[in-house]
Amino acid sequence: MQTKIHATLIDDPAVQTADGILRSCVHCGFCTAVCPTYQLLGDELDGPRGRIYLIKELLEHNEIASSAVTHIDRCLTCRACETACPSGVAYGQLLDIGRGMIAQLVRRRWRERIIAWSLLLVVPRPKLFGMFLRMGQMLRPLLPEAFKKTIPVKTAPRRYPMSHARNPVRRVLVLEGCVQRSATPDVNQALAYLLDLHQIEVTRLVAEGCCGALEYHLGAHKAGKARMRSLLDSLSTRLEEVDAVVSSASGCGVTIKDYPKVFENEPEYQQLARSVVAKTADAAELLSQLDFACRGKKVAFHSPCTLQHGQRLNGIVEGILARAGFEVVPVRDSHLCCGSAGTYSMMQPTLATTLKRQKIESLTRDEPAVIATANVGCQLYLGADASIPVVHWLELMADNIRLGENPPQ
């Protein structure tokens, strides 16, 4: 794709990166076939190829029409297009650059500003998010059904029988996550239990900050990168102590793995990011090296976009579950997003709801006993409307372990 960048932007390093990405696109259209919003709306501008043209226009004119912003806003950033692209177009990175520019050029409608401001204020701050969650859980019985479904039911914390091996064979640092530590805290307890069965010790950061994903993907790049630098600084002091940095929320994991791209124009932090990423693994990458024996259940696995398209780890969890004894049923159109997509379900509720309905139909077609997933956002979003339990796959494993049949390796 040929480009002619606007004169006032041509020296901007981020724009130069975007220009390189645009030039790698050969207009083939493979991306369109796998795009959820194009499938729903049938508009070329609501597919990756159309949005690439819109961002090209933005870079060439340093301005953008409100109609173009609408099409870009409708993108889930699921990155299914990246998986399908034969040319390796880094669409997600291009979209982030475009959204950062839009945030500087466009004044949003008051409703969008209020929603974004509320999310940015609460979600990246675990204590504040936890406080609002607890309030919501207390008031849940009094709320209308539509609001009630969005608040996870408060449950008693699980107690797993930990051995705490005195001579661990490995030591890993597990990230807590902002939303997960409050909304689904048993996930990381389940991970610690599964690792403990194989004499792997779990440690955590004393004061873990947000990975910066929410702010960065909403176009608030300055605030997002500040959080990213803070997390990198915290992790850098612990890297030599651990064999791996592990995330059980695929949304956090893919963000951290993308840090070297985010800091490509900041050599000091890019090098630090590379060092962190070299030791960063999704929980599935770690557990795929281990053997487990579980009580078998019929399970449908929803692979989050951040796992299968962002981290390119499609099929890995399904393999772990099958080897452990679960019956994993096939899921039609498993590459399509469930509609959660970070803040998408709040910013684009109509499209998100349609995608959720389609995803639940696909997941429940073969009548599984449970739906498992790998990201807290998908878990809560699908769980609000599914007729069967939706759990994190780590909880499913830990709750169905056959004690005495999981020897250390």
Side-chain angles (χ1 to χ4, degrees), residues 41-54:
L41 302 170
D43 188 330
E44 172 76 8
L45 296 179
D46 285 311
R49 186 169 59 181
R51 293 183 180 113
I52 285 173
Y53 276 108
L54 294 176

Side-chain angles (χ1 to χ4, degrees), residues 55-76:
I55 294 173
K56 174 179 178 289
E57 291 291 307
L58 167 62
L59 297 180
E60 291 183 337
H61 300 286
N62 197 22
E63 60 183 21
I64 188 166
S66 59
S67 58
V69 174
T70 298
H71 292 299
I72 291 173
D73 284 347
R74 286 176 182 160
C75 179
L76 293 139

Side-chain angles (χ1 to χ4, degrees), residues 48-354:
R49 186 169 59 181
R51 293 183 180 113
I52 285 173
Y53 276 108
L54 294 176
I55 294 173
K56 174 179 178 289
E57 291 291 307
L58 167 62
L59 297 180
E60 291 183 337
H61 300 286
N62 197 22
E63 60 183 21
I64 188 166
S66 59
S67 58
V69 174
T70 298
H71 292 299
I72 291 173
D73 284 347
R74 286 176 182 160
C75 179
L76 293 139
T77 325
C78 68
R79 294 168 67 170
C81 53
E82 291 188 11
T83 300
C85 180
S87 302
V89 176
Y91 174 81
Q93 186 179 14
L94 176 65
L95 190 71
D96 280 333
I97 294 171
R99 283 176 167 166
M101 293 181 64
I102 289 170
Q104 300 298 315
L105 292 171
V106 176
R107 181 172 175 78
R108 297 286 186 169
R109 290 173 292 186
W110 67 268
R111 177 183 175 275
E112 294 172 338
R113 294 201 305 272
I114 290 174
I115 294 174
W117 177 83
S118 301
L119 291 169
L120 293 173
L121 174 68
V122 176
V123 177
R125 296 172 172 82
K127 290 183 179 179
L128 191 58
F129 178 83
M131 181 186 73
F132 278 105
L133 176 62
R134 290 189 295 273
M135 288 173 56
Q137 288 172 330
M138 290 174 58
L139 297 172
R140 194 174 187 274
L142 307 176
L143 297 175
E145 192 64 29
F147 289 100
K148 186 185 299 185
K149 291 194 301 183
T150 65
I151 301 172
V153 177
K154 185 176 182 180
T155 58
R158 289 180 176 87
R159 302 297 181 193
Y160 296 106
M162 307 285 285
S163 67
H164 300 292
R166 292 185 178 181
N167 298 303
V169 296
R170 278 188 281 175
R171 192 181 195 212
V172 300
L173 190 156
V174 172
L175 297 172
E176 301 272 20
C178 296
V179 174
Q180 184 167 274
R181 77 179 76 175
S182 296
T184 58
D186 290 332
V187 171
N188 279 336
Q189 294 303 314
L191 174 58
Y193 171 53
L194 294 171
L195 294 176
D196 184 73
L197 291 172
H198 291 271
Q199 297 183 6
I200 299 175
E201 181 185 0
V202 167
T203 184
R204 295 178 171 84
L205 289 174
V206 175
E208 179 187 322
C210 175
C211 70
L214 181 73
E215 287 156 321
Y216 195 79
H217 294 313
L218 281 176
H221 287 184
K222 184 176 180 180
K225 291 176 77 171
R227 291 194 186 278
M228 293 174 182
R229 292 189 196 96
S230 179
L231 182 58
L232 283 171
D233 289 337
S234 298
L235 289 172
S236 68
T237 64
R238 304 289 301 279
L239 283 183
E240 297 302 318
E241 305 171 14
V242 298
D243 297 291
V245 175
V246 183
S247 173
S248 57
S250 60
C252 300
V254 72
T255 299
I256 293 170
K257 289 182 178 181
D258 281 343
Y259 278 3
K261 289 183 180 179
V262 173
F263 291 107
E264 65 181 358
N265 297 308
E266 296 182 39
E268 179 183 351
Y269 272 97
Q270 186 184 51
Q271 185 56 48
L272 179 53
R274 286 174 175 165
S275 299
V276 168
V277 170
K279 281 196 171 183
T280 297
D282 185 84
E285 293 177 279
L286 190 60
L287 267 61
S288 66
Q289 306 166 21
L290 309 172
D291 290 327
F292 296 92
C294 297
R295 295 183 295 274
K297 281 187 175 182
K298 192 174 182 181
V299 55
F301 181 68
H302 165 60
S303 184
C305 302
T306 46
L307 187 71
Q308 63 171 315
H309 302 308
Q311 299 190 59
R312 303 294 176 94
L313 296 175
N314 196 29
I316 189 169
V317 175
E318 295 94 317
I320 295 170
L321 292 172
R323 289 194 301 273
F326 293 95
E327 179 189 352
V328 183
V329 301
V331 177
R332 181 185 58 203
D333 293 330
S334 60
H335 65 284
L336 294 178
C337 182
C338 70
S340 174
T343 62
Y344 192 88
S345 61
M346 299 181 190
M347 307 297 284
Q348 301 285 337
T350 302
L351 290 172
T353 300
T354 302

